[in-house]
Amino acid sequence: MLQGFEWYVPDDHKHWTRLHDNLEQLKATGIDNIWIPPGCKASSPSGNGYDIYDLYDLGEFDAKGSVGTKWGTKEELVKMVKKANEVGIGIYWDAVLNHKAAADHKEKCRAQEVDPNDRTRAISDPYEINGWLGFDFKARGDKYSEQKYHWYHFSGTDYNADNNKTAIYKILGDDTKGWADSGDVDGEKGNYDYLMFADLDFDHPEVEKDVIEWGKWLSTELTLKGIRFDAVKHFSEEFLRDFITELDKTHGEGWFFVGEFWKDSLSDMHKYLERMGKKFSLFDAPLVYNFSQLSKTEGGDLTKVFDDTLVKTVPVNAVTLVMNHDTQPYQALEAQIEPFFKPLAYALILLRYEGYPCLFYGDLYGIKGEHPFPPSCGGALPSLALARKLYSYGLQKDYFDYPTCIGWVRYGTWDRRWGCAVVMSNAGPGQKWMHVGEMHAGEKWTDVLGWSQGEVEIGQDGFGNFTCYGVSLSVWVNKDAEGRDRFGKL
């Protein structure tokens, strides 16, 4: 999969067109699915969509300063999705269900300030606030949904217009109103229901009904293959299970669902997956932190790269990644990965059996904005993705026997017989004597990246001496393997 955006993509409203024009090239590189950015109307024409205003406006109505979203119009979105399906690329929607932003008017309600570090502890008496909690959706009217939102559809907010005070306000109502139940959201900060803006209350039946109906509506508007759910540790797990169940009933099972549960607690991630069921996946945050730490540690132990990660413990539920829009430079969850380590990290997620790898748009095309970065991996990321598509199949044998130099072999399958051998080092030049199989005896293998020169001749016993330069990697494949002529042209 490719995350098809980075935080600083220009707000020229042309991103759906950019993706549309690159779909065929991405498919040729080995991309089978794209996680696209949140396509619902945001608080402004420059909003990335996590500041969501209206679920039902995909860039169709003149609201919040423009018709289109930052990414483009609904017409352009539909055109892009249609072409993606034609070329064989699935589209994953980025669903932001936790909150709403940029209300149309203020509404008064009773609320109570809570401790930002312990949301279960009140730090004020209840009093009336004037919050931005009224959503009329005047530009859209009643098209697609007649539901309007008022203060009682929310559990919390962060601003009182009467005294211009910013705080975390727990909205009060009858005895049943409050944060989501303990255990239905993450327990960090006492109860992590509140994240930002106007926090939706999924205990309210009108909220639950409207958002589930939106999911059904979305799946008829666009041909999708799955959904990435934003900020899942902040809203009701029970609701999310119901949402997925209703989509299965409406359109049949088979959609891919992945949640952003960004936390370095492997235990909490395991418990969440157990509660959500085995068909749900999570992004492997601990793996990203391992990559970051290893890249900043001289002579770091590569044999421990998968320690305490999701991909090691529950690989079928792990989406592996190197960077995303939250961890990229100058973002809130920045996890710095030194440039030299990026190719190693991508090889570790792309060329191995375990996990579902996700490439980052900013690594493939570069990062824009005030602090631009060029494409990572010295421009070799397309070649690593293509190597996965063509050669990374079959049984896997690891050679994790030296701290600063590791390797592994993929043996191929009966219908994809070529296989590959990977060796990498985060110190000096490395080499591994590795078995690729007697069926390859006499073959001459070369590095598809072109970073290591020369040939490795496979012995009669199926072994070869595979090398890489210092602080680098090599991906060795039979020089006459099908598809070798496609490298260096992407």
Side-chain angles (χ1 to χ4, degrees):
M1 133 180 31
L2 169 70
Q3 178 181 353
F5 64 102
E6 53 97 5
W7 194 260
Y8 300 109
V9 167
D11 57 350
D12 55 8
H13 315 288
K14 296 179 180 179
H15 196 59
W16 297 144
T17 300
R18 260 191 294 275
L19 289 177
H20 173 278
D21 293 345
N22 283 286
L23 287 168
E24 292 178 350
Q25 181 75 0
L26 289 169
K27 182 64 177 179
T29 303
I31 301 300
D32 294 316
N33 298 286
I34 299 177
W35 152 26
I36 62 173
C40 302
K41 184 62 60 71
S43 65
S44 76
S46 298
N48 280 352
Y50 298 103
D51 52 338
I52 186 168
Y53 165 66
D54 185 2
L55 282 169
Y56 288 93
D57 185 354
L58 307 184
E60 183 179 1
F61 305 98
D62 190 357
K64 301 305 171 184
S66 67
V67 172
T69 66
K70 172 180 177 176
W71 319 108
T73 65
K74 181 179 179 180
E75 182 180 0
E76 292 163 341
L77 169 62
V78 170
K79 181 180 177 181
M80 183 274 291
V81 173
K82 183 175 183 291
K83 183 173 180 180
N85 282 274
E86 289 172 353
V87 303
I89 291 180
I91 297 296
Y92 298 156
W93 189 261
D94 196 334
V96 183
L97 307 181
N98 177 71
H99 52 263
K100 288 187 177 296
D104 298 307
H105 63 265
K106 300 187 289 290
E107 293 188 352
K108 291 183 179 291
C109 63
R110 286 179 61 76
Q112 197 167 26
E113 297 175 33
V114 299
D115 184 343
N117 295 310
D118 181 1
R119 302 338 173 35
T120 65
R121 188 175 77 86
I123 56 174
S124 79
D125 292 330
Y127 66 98
E128 186 178 77
I129 68 168
N130 197 15
W132 287 98
L133 298 167
F135 292 79
D136 298 329
F137 312 119
K138 289 182 179 179
R140 176 170 59 80
D142 292 338
K143 189 173 183 179
Y144 306 132
S145 171
E146 298 179 0
Q147 181 67 47
K148 315 303 177 187
Y149 283 80
H150 303 285
W151 69 266
Y152 47 83
H153 293 118
F154 302 98
S155 59
T157 190
D158 61 357
Y159 180 72
N160 178 14
D162 279 351
N163 60 7
N164 295 320
K165 184 174 183 179
T166 297
I168 298 179
Y169 297 95
K170 178 182 176 181
I171 295 173
L172 304 176
D174 60 27
D175 291 340
T176 66
K177 190 166 183 62
W179 300 135
D181 293 340
S182 176
D184 202 31
V185 294
D186 191 59
E188 189 177 346
K189 299 184 186 298
N191 180 303
Y192 220 170
D193 188 354
Y194 188 81
L195 176 63
M196 61 178 69
F197 302 118
D199 187 75
L200 281 167
D201 182 359
F202 283 101
D203 284 333
H204 196 294
E206 291 180 354
V207 174
E208 180 180 26
K209 180 177 184 294
D210 189 52
V211 177
I212 287 177
E213 289 303 314
W214 168 80
K216 296 176 182 178
W217 169 82
L218 179 71
S219 65
T220 60
E221 293 289 303
L222 301 170
T223 303
L224 303 174
K225 286 288 188 69
I227 297 179
R228 178 260 187 193
F229 294 99
D230 183 59
V232 295
K233 67 181 182 179
H234 299 285
F235 67 93
S236 169
E237 296 174 14
E238 181 180 3
F239 164 78
L240 186 52
R241 286 192 295 270
D242 291 343
F243 182 93
I244 291 171
T245 298
E246 288 301 316
L247 282 185
D248 284 344
K249 287 180 183 177
T250 303
H251 292 283
E253 296 188 6
W255 279 33
F256 175 73
F257 298 111
V258 59
E260 181 223 9
F261 188 99
W262 203 261
K263 198 171 186 179
D264 59 0
S265 170
L266 189 61
S267 173
D268 287 350
M269 297 178 82
H270 284 167
K271 292 174 183 176
Y272 186 87
L273 285 171
E274 289 171 4
R275 295 191 297 268
M276 286 303 298
K278 293 301 182 182
K279 68 179 299 181
F280 202 81
S281 297
L282 293 177
F283 292 97
D284 197 343
L287 179 63
V288 173
Y289 293 126
N290 282 5
F291 286 155
S292 176
Q293 187 61 39
L294 277 169
S295 79
K296 294 182 287 186
T297 303
E298 185 175 357
D301 190 346
L302 293 174
T303 68
K304 297 181 178 180
V305 64
F306 295 116
D307 284 4
D308 300 317
T309 61
L310 205 61
V311 72
K312 183 174 181 178
T313 53
V314 281
V316 72
N317 300 105
V319 174
T320 53
L321 70 163
V322 176
M323 183 172 284
N324 68 13
H325 64 290
D326 285 325
T327 68
Q328 72 180 83
Y330 301 97
Q331 283 302 294
L333 300 176
E334 178 179 356
Q336 180 183 0
I337 298 176
E338 296 297 329
F340 85 87
F341 199 83
K342 283 283 188 77
L344 281 65
Y346 270 109
L348 284 160
I349 70 169
L350 283 168
L351 302 179
R352 296 179 60 77
Y353 177 77
E354 300 87 0
Y356 181 10
C358 180
L359 281 66
F360 180 48
Y361 185 93
D363 282 327
L364 190 61
Y365 293 107
I367 292 173
K368 307 299 183 183
E370 184 179 352
H371 305 282
F373 290 81
S376 73
C377 305
L381 187 50
S383 292
L384 286 168
L386 183 60
R388 172 184 175 85
K389 179 180 179 68
L390 296 176
Y391 310 125
S392 186
Y393 299 92
L395 295 175
Q396 177 175 288
K397 182 174 176 57
D398 289 339
Y399 293 81
F400 283 32
D401 51 9
Y402 193 79
T404 59
C405 181
I406 60 174
W408 67 90
V409 169
R410 300 298 301 275
Y411 281 101
T413 58
W414 68 270
D415 58 339
R416 298 178 182 272
R417 63 185 185 85
W418 300 108
C420 63
V422 182
V423 59
M424 63 176 60
S425 170
N426 63 343
Q431 63 176 4
K432 291 290 178 187
W433 185 255
M434 298 192 294
H435 180 262
V436 297
E438 290 82 350
M439 63 282 199
H440 295 297
E443 294 178 357
K444 292 181 171 59
W445 288 31
T446 57
D447 177 16
V448 300
L449 303 178
W451 291 353
S452 288
Q453 304 303 308
E455 299 177 343
V456 173
E457 183 169 349
I458 309 303
Q460 293 301 310
D461 57 0
F463 279 85
N465 187 32
F466 299 97
T467 62
C468 68
Y469 287 114
V471 195
S472 186
L473 84 149
S474 300
V475 181
W476 298 87
V477 176
N478 184 334
K479 70 174 185 177
D480 297 319
E482 182 179 348
R484 287 297 303 261
D485 58 335
R486 295 168 60 180
F487 288 86
K489 299 178 181 179
L490 300 172

